C-alpha cells in the first residue's frame, strides 16, 4: 500500500499524535474554560498549548491571535464573510480552491466586487498583475500559498508588501503549506492566515483555524457563530476579544491535543528538513513521469518552487481510470478529477476532465516514487 494522497489529508500520523489524543480521552476528558476543576483547567492548558505551538510555527507574536475551528474552509469563510461588505472589492488569483471561490461567488451576489487575476498555466501569479488589479474599493487580497493541484508557490512576501503599501488586508490560504513550507506571518506581511490541522501539521481531521493579525479591525469583523465561550458569562453579547469572539461552543479538545502534538513533531524535525525531504521526492517524481512518452505533467516542473504535489495525465486514459488502476493494481492511493479547484483546472487547461494527483508527505520514500513512476509507465503503455 502506497499512500500518495497527503494533499487531501496526511497519513500516517506520528505516533505521538495518536497518543496525545488517547491520553486526553482517557485521563482528562473535561470541557476547557467552562468549569473550575482540575480536569477542566488541564483541558484549557492543552488548548492553550496548541495555540502556542501554532503561534511558534508561524511566528505569531501572541498565541491568543490563533483562533481554532474545524478546518481551513471555515477559517476562510470567517475571514471573507466576516470582513467583506457590499461595495467592498476583493482580489484573488486563478488557482484558488473552492473554499475561497465559493464564499467569494456568494459575496459577489451580495455586492462585493470580485476580481480574479489570471495565473500562467503553470499556476504562477505575477505580483505586479495583482497590484494592477487593485481598485479604490479593494479591501482585501486573498491567495493560496500553494495550489493544491500543482503545488505552485505564491510570492507571498511580495504580495504582502503590496497589501501593506496599499493599506489592504492580506488573507492567505495556507492549507497546502502550513508545516511543509517555511511561513512567517510577520516577514511575509500576512494579516489573516487560514490553516488546516490535518495535512502537513499532522494533526487529526476536524482541526484548523484562522490567525488574526494586528492590522485587522476586530470591531468590523463579524463572527460566523455566537454562543457560549466560558468567558463574560454575565453578558448576552458575544465577547469582543480574541480568541473567544470566534470560538463559540465546546472546542474539539481531543483534536487540538493531537494537533499540538503534530505541530511539535513538525518543529522537532524542522520545517526546513521536511521541506528538503519533500522537495527531493518531488524532483524525483517529476523527472520520472516526464521521461514517460504519453504522460503530460502539469505545473512549473521545478521542485524548488512548488509543494510535494504532482498532477499528470496519461494519453488515452481518463484520470478516473488511471486512479482506479493505480489503486487496484498497485495499491497506490491518489486523487483524480478536479480537486475542488475548477478555477485551477481552467487555468491549467485540464477542465473538465481534471488530472491525476500524487501528493507526498514526510513519511513518503524514494521507493514510493519509483513505484509510482513504474506504475505510470506501464499504464502509459496500456493507454497508448
Ligand atoms: C488549497 C486548499 N485550500 C483549502 C482547503 C480546505 O481545507 P479543509 O478541507 O481542511 O477545510 C484545501 C483542502 O484540500 C486546500 O487544498
Amino acid at each position: 500500500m502506497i499512500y500518495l494522497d497527503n494533499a487531501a489529508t496526511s497519513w500516517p500520523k506520528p505516533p505521538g499524535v495518536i497518543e496525545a489524543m488517547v491520553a486526553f480521552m482517557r485521563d482528562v476528558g473535561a470541557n476547557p474554560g467552562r468549569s473550575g476543576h482540575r480536569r477542566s483547567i488541564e483541558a484549557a492548558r492543552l488548548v492553550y498549548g496548541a495555540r502556542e505551538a501554532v503561534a511558534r510555527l508561524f511566528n505569531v507574536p501572541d498565541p491568543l491571535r490563533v483562533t481554532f475551528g474545524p478546518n481551513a474552509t471555515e477559517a476562510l469563510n470567517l475571514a471573507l464573510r466576516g470582513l467583506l461588505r457590499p461595495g467592498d472589492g476583493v482580489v484573488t488569483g486563478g488557482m484558488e480552491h473552492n473554499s475561497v471561490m465559493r464564499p467569494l461567488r456568494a459575496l459577489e451576489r451580495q455586492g462585493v466586487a470580485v476580481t480574479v487575476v489570471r495565473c500562467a498555466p503553470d499556476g504562477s501569479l505575477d505580483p505586479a498583475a495583482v497590484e494592477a488589479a487593485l481598485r479604490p474599493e479593494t479591501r482585501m487580497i486573498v491567495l493560496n500559498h500553494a495550489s493544491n493541484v500543482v503545488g505552485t508557490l505564491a510570492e507571498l512576501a511580495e504580495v504582502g508588501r503590496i497589501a501593506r503599501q496599499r493599506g489592504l488586508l492580506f488573507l492567505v490560504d495556507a492549507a497546502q503549506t502550513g508545516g511543509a513550507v517555511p511561513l512567517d506571518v510577520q516577514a511575509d506581511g500576512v494579516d489573516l492566515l487560514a490553516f488546516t490541522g490535518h495535512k502537513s501539521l499532522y494533526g487529526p481531521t476536524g482541526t484548523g483555524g484562522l490567525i488574526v493579525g494586528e492590522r485587522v479591525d476586530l470591531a468590523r469583523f463579524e463572527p460566523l457563530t455566537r454562543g457560549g465561550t466560558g468567558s463574560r458569562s454575565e453578558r448576552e453579547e458575544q465577547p469582543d476579544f480574541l480568541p473567544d469572539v470566534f470560538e463559540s461552543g465546546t472546542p474539539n479538545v481531543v483534536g487540538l491535543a493531537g494537533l499540538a502534538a503534530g505541530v511539535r513533531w513538525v518543529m522537532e524535525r524542522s520545517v526546513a528538513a521536511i521541506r528538503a525531504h519533500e522537495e527531493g521526492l518531488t524532483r524525483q517524481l517529476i523527472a520520472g513521469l516526464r521521461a514517460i512518452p504519453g504522460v503530460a505533467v502539469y505545473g512549473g516542473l521545478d521542485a524548488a518552487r512548488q509543494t510535494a504535489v504532482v498532477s499528470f495525465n496519461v494519453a488515452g486514459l481518463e484520470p478516473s481510470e488511471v486512479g482506479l488502476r493505480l489503486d487496484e493494481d498497485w495499491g497506490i492511493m491518489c486523487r483524480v478529477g478536479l480537486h475542488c479547484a475548477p478555477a485551477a483546472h481552467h487555468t491549467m487547461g485540464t477542465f473538465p476532465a481534471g488530472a491525476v494527483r500524487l501528493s507526498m508527505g514526510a513519511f513518503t520514500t524514494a521507493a514510493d516514487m519509483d513505484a509510482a513512476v513504474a506504475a505510470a509507465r506501464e499504464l502509459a503503455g496500456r493507454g497508448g
Side-chain angles (χ1 to χ4, degrees), residues 330-342:
W330 286 278
I332 294 174
M333 279 159 240
C334 66
R335 182 167 174 198
V336 300
L338 295 172
H339 312 98
C340 295

Side-chain angles (χ1 to χ4, degrees), residues 108-135:
E108 196 170 35
R109 286 195 297 277
Q110 294 164 22
V112 172
V114 176
T115 306
V116 181
V117 181
R118 266 176 178 280
C119 292
D122 68 2
S124 59
L125 178 63
D126 180 0
V130 174
E131 188 161 26
L134 302 177
R135 299 279 171 272

Side-chain angles (χ1 to χ4, degrees), residues 85 93 103 139-140 218 232 236 249 258 270 277 339 375:
R85 304 276 176 277
R139 283 205 64 216
M140 184 188 282
L218 283 183
R232 303 273 162 89
E236 292 186 353
S270 89
H277 172 72
H339 312 98

Side-chain angles (χ1 to χ4, degrees), residues 45-355:
R45 202 187 59 77
L46 278 169
V47 173
Y48 191 74
R51 268 188 237 290
E52 280 184 320
V54 171
R56 260 202 314 281
L57 180 71
F58 296 125
N59 195 24
V60 181
D62 177 2
L64 296 179
R65 293 196 164 271
V66 177
T67 72
F68 288 125
N71 46 43
T73 301
E74 188 166 295
L76 289 161
N77 271 267
L78 170 60
L80 296 169
R81 288 161 54 195
L83 285 161
L84 294 171
R85 304 276 176 277
D88 288 342
V90 55
V91 171
T92 191
M95 291 297 284
E96 296 305 310
H97 190 273
N98 268 347
S99 54
V100 167
M101 291 316 301
R102 286 180 173 173
L104 283 185
R105 292 303 180 205
L107 285 165
E108 196 170 35
R109 286 195 297 277
Q110 294 164 22
V112 172
V114 176
T115 306
V116 181
V117 181
R118 266 176 178 280
C119 292
D122 68 2
S124 59
L125 178 63
D126 180 0
V130 174
E131 188 161 26
L134 302 177
R135 299 279 171 272
E137 69 273 18
T138 309
R139 283 205 64 216
M140 184 188 282
I141 301 171
V142 50
L143 290 180
N144 63 44
H145 186 193
S147 154
N148 64 310
V149 183
V150 280
T152 310
L153 284 159
E155 293 183 44
L156 278 200
E158 183 54 19
V159 179
R161 193 189 58 73
I162 293 167
R164 296 247 142 157
Q165 236 171 30
R166 301 293 200 99
L168 308 174
L169 293 176
F170 186 26
L171 165 61
V172 172
D173 170 4
Q176 288 295 328
T177 54
V181 179
L183 217 174
D184 178 326
V185 290
Q186 297 185 62
D188 292 330
V190 178
D191 297 303
L192 296 141
L193 188 88
F195 63 94
T196 200
H198 63 97
K199 299 186 200 264
S200 298
L201 300 182
Y202 292 91
T205 49
T207 59
L210 184 70
I211 292 167
V212 182
E214 284 164 8
R215 292 170 74 240
V216 180
D217 180 3
L218 283 183
R220 294 202 49 191
F221 197 168
E222 286 290 312
L224 292 177
T225 51
R226 295 178 174 82
T229 57
S231 55
R232 303 273 162 89
S233 291
E234 73 286 1
R235 298 186 62 214
E236 292 186 353
E237 293 294 324
Q238 186 76 1
D240 58 2
F241 52 86
L242 290 169
D244 298 28
V245 58
F246 301 131
E247 289 186 358
S248 294
T250 302
N252 177 9
V253 193
V254 58
L256 294 175
L259 174 64
V263 174
R264 287 185 196 120
W265 182 87
V266 165
M267 285 192 292
E268 272 160 28
R269 263 138 209 86
S270 89
V271 175
I274 292 172
R275 170 82 184 134
H277 172 72
E278 294 188 356
E279 203 178 305
L281 297 171
T282 307
R283 189 166 290 114
Q284 181 188 349
L285 183 60
I286 290 172
L289 291 175
R290 286 186 81 189
I292 305 172
V295 168
V297 189
Y298 304 107
L301 308 176
D302 178 356
R305 302 178 67 160
Q306 68 175 83
T307 53
V309 168
V310 177
S311 283
F312 69 99
N313 271 318
V314 178
L317 290 176
E318 287 297 318
S320 54
E321 176 66 14
V322 174
L324 190 68
R325 293 275 64 85
L326 287 175
D327 188 2
E328 290 193 344
D329 299 353
W330 286 278
I332 294 174
M333 279 159 240
C334 66
R335 182 167 174 198
V336 300
L338 295 172
H339 312 98
C340 295
H345 283 280
H346 278 295
T347 297
M348 294 156 55
T350 45
F351 190 89

Side-chain angles (χ1 to χ4, degrees), residues 21-32 37 39-40 42-43 46 250 253-254:
M21 296 174 76
V22 170
F24 171 76
M25 294 299 279
R26 189 188 51 217
D27 303 332
V28 185
N31 202 325
H37 57 75
R39 292 267 185 97
S40 172
E42 177 59 15
L46 278 169
T250 302
V253 193
V254 58

